[in-house]
Amino acid sequence: MNTKTFASAADLEEKQVSFDRLSEHAYAYTAEGDPNTGIIIGDDAVMVIDTQATPVMAQDVIRRIREVTDKPIKYVVMSHYHAVRVLGASAYMAEGGQHIIASRDTYDLVVERGQFDKDSEIGRFPRLFQNVESVPPGLTWPTLTFEGRMSLWLGKLEVQLIQLGRGHTKGDTVVWIPSEKILFSGDLVEFDATPYAGDAYFKDWPQTLDNIAALKPEKLVPGRGAALQTPEQVQAGLAGTRDFIRDLYASVQAGVAAGQDLRQVYEATFAALQPKYGHWVIFNHCMPFDVTRAYDEATQHADPRIWTAERDRQMWQALEG
């Protein structure tokens, strides 16, 4: 196996941004597999779901929002906690934002590993953290938390924030517009993009996807990849993510049962999954992290261990060196 460039350090090509209208109230900001941002425009306010990696990058989202509405951006929702998703929040708060909302489980993750994750991800994604100096000191903290489910009313438009189960992280939140059957999944669902699973719960994730499917969304904005604008596309996104998670974990479990060490399990799993999923965005980046977490879960670590910048490099060298 040829040594690969660390994480996304070699990914320096700018992506083409799309700003798609899903309904009178819902928009998707996507960029060829880069992290997505969702926008909900209610009667009297705007909600943003996931912020982009820096305030400078968030300004492009704000510019596009301002092309379609002058309503205040009052709410920022963290679908989960990863630095690449949340460090742009201050840009929206400067626009009059009133609350940054997250599940209590996500808040607990910020407490436990927020600074470690920030340092780790800035090292992994140099292009996404351009203008990182624009990020205020410290971390992005929720100002409002919930457990299980909450509803917000943007005028007459009900928006539900729901925890449907663990998957990508323990704090995953989906944002649901029940009147329009539009769902913003965060990184629980990806489309033509490799799920990052370094902080995942492999055993729980497929059931959480089934719980999403039970809502019968007709449109879905995934964490990465194009907005899914028909029920058939939604099903394809759910199925692709579910298949990847199950295929990877089954391969890792088989290697563990055979007494293989992590490097052996990684090489076998990479070879098994590459033909089907290797064309997906950030496949080479995610696989070492994903297999390491799956190996942990299949052996002795029910909960994800904290990734640090140092651990990132040590793991990469052990598996790819």
Side-chain angles (χ1 to χ4, degrees):
M1 187 179 296
N2 295 327
T3 300
K4 301 182 183 71
T5 303
F6 173 69
S8 289
D11 177 14
L12 302 176
E13 182 179 343
E14 292 300 317
K15 307 298 184 182
Q16 180 67 41
V17 171
S18 298
F19 191 66
D20 296 320
R21 184 180 189 270
L22 308 184
S23 74
E24 177 186 355
H25 301 106
Y27 290 79
Y29 180 99
T30 67
E32 298 183 308
D34 276 0
N36 293 338
T37 293
I39 297 95
I40 299 175
I41 301 173
D43 300 323
D44 58 359
V46 177
M47 173 185 287
V48 170
I49 302 112
D50 295 328
T51 74
Q52 298 294 302
T54 68
V56 168
M57 296 182 71
Q59 287 298 331
D60 190 55
V61 181
I62 293 169
R63 178 178 66 80
R64 293 167 192 271
I65 292 172
R66 289 293 166 244
E67 291 174 354
V68 295
T69 184
D70 59 0
K71 294 171 184 174
I73 301 171
K74 289 187 178 180
Y75 304 106
V76 172
V77 176
M78 297 163 60
S79 69
H80 62 284
Y81 181 78
H82 278 135
V84 74
R85 295 286 180 182
V86 305
L87 293 185
S90 62
Y92 306 97
M93 305 314 282
E95 287 281 314
Q98 296 179 357
H99 285 293
I100 300 172
I101 309 170
S103 67
R104 178 63 198 224
D105 290 320
T106 291
Y107 178 91
D108 291 343
L109 286 173
V110 182
V111 173
E112 178 187 56
R113 60 186 67 198
Q115 188 62 49
F116 297 114
D117 181 87
K118 179 180 179 180
D119 296 341
S120 166
E121 291 201 34
I122 289 172
R124 295 186 202 175
F125 295 105
R127 178 176 57 80
L128 294 181
F129 283 98
Q130 288 178 16
N131 306 113
V132 70
E133 69 279 356
S134 67
V135 176
L139 303 174
T140 299
W141 290 96
T143 62
L144 182 65
T145 62
F146 71 98
E147 296 182 23
R149 179 189 295 258
M150 73 176 293
S151 287
L152 287 172
W153 295 86
L154 307 185
K156 295 180 180 179
L157 182 70
E158 183 184 12
V159 179
Q160 296 178 358
L161 280 56
I162 315 171
Q163 289 183 272
L164 291 172
R166 301 185 302 187
H168 178 68
T169 73
K170 77 172 185 177
D172 294 326
T173 295
V174 303
V175 180
W176 174 236
I177 307 176
S179 62
E180 297 181 342
K181 294 191 176 299
I182 297 174
L183 187 131
F184 300 82
S185 70
D187 282 327
L188 280 169
V189 182
E190 312 288 21
F191 186 67
D192 284 345
T194 310
Y196 173 74
D199 298 306
Y201 289 84
F202 278 89
K203 295 175 185 177
D204 293 5
W205 200 334
Q207 180 60 55
T208 302
L209 293 172
D210 290 347
N211 295 342
I212 290 175
L215 291 173
K216 298 183 179 180
E218 296 180 359
K219 298 182 181 183
L220 186 149
V221 179
R224 289 176 180 263
L228 308 176
Q229 301 211 44
T230 68
E232 293 75 21
Q233 290 177 353
V234 172
Q235 290 305 312
L238 289 167
T241 304
R242 187 187 294 108
D243 288 350
F244 177 87
I245 294 302
R246 285 179 170 164
D247 289 351
L248 189 148
Y249 196 57
S251 177
V252 170
Q253 284 182 306
V256 169
Q260 295 176 348
D261 64 20
L262 176 58
R263 173 90 182 215
Q264 292 171 316
V265 169
Y266 172 65
E267 292 181 348
T269 300
F270 189 98
L273 270 65
Q274 200 276 337
K276 183 175 181 180
Y277 306 107
H279 64 287
W280 282 2
V281 172
I282 65 170
F283 180 80
N284 287 348
H285 174 152
C286 289
M287 283 297 288
F289 295 95
D290 291 3
V291 173
T292 299
R293 169 57 195 146
Y295 189 89
D296 275 1
E297 187 169 345
T299 54
Q300 59 181 329
H301 297 284
D303 295 302
R305 291 187 286 155
I306 294 173
W307 290 100
T308 66
E310 181 181 18
R311 184 184 172 216
D312 287 357
R313 295 281 181 173
Q314 291 173 343
M315 178 278 294
W316 196 271
Q317 179 62 30
L319 298 188
E320 294 285 6

